[in-house]
Amino acid sequence: MLVLSRKKDEKIVIGDSITLMVIEIRGDKVRLGIEAPRDVTVHREEVYDAIKRENTPDSKQG
């Protein structure tokens, strides 16, 4: 895992098409802005995990 430090309004660039920007730092929370192409899905981890669980064969009842 790459660990970087950024201040408010600073960016991280991933590849040629994804940019993360620190929008706000308030206490122990950081707000990030993400610019990515429409074909790149972006989810919070808990949402991503829920989607994966819904799409596993074990979770389908029929």
Side-chain angles (χ1 to χ4, degrees):
M1 174 186 296
L2 173 65
V3 178
L4 302 171
S5 297
R6 299 279 73 200
K7 295 178 183 175
K8 185 178 180 223
D9 296 328
E10 292 183 333
K11 296 181 180 181
I12 296 170
V13 178
I14 301 172
D16 292 330
S17 60
I18 300 172
T19 303
L20 303 174
M21 181 174 175
V22 178
I23 302 296
E24 180 180 30
I25 303 168
R26 188 182 300 175
D28 64 345
K29 292 194 178 191
V30 176
R31 293 184 70 209
L32 299 174
I34 303 166
E35 293 180 10
R38 288 195 176 273
D39 63 327
V40 174
T41 57
V42 178
H43 297 289
R44 296 186 323 263
E45 183 179 32
E46 62 274 14
V47 172
Y48 178 76
D49 290 342
I51 292 168
K52 280 179 34 179
R53 279 193 305 275
E54 283 182 11
N55 291 330
T56 59
D58 294 342
S59 68
K60 306 224 184 219
Q61 297 177 0

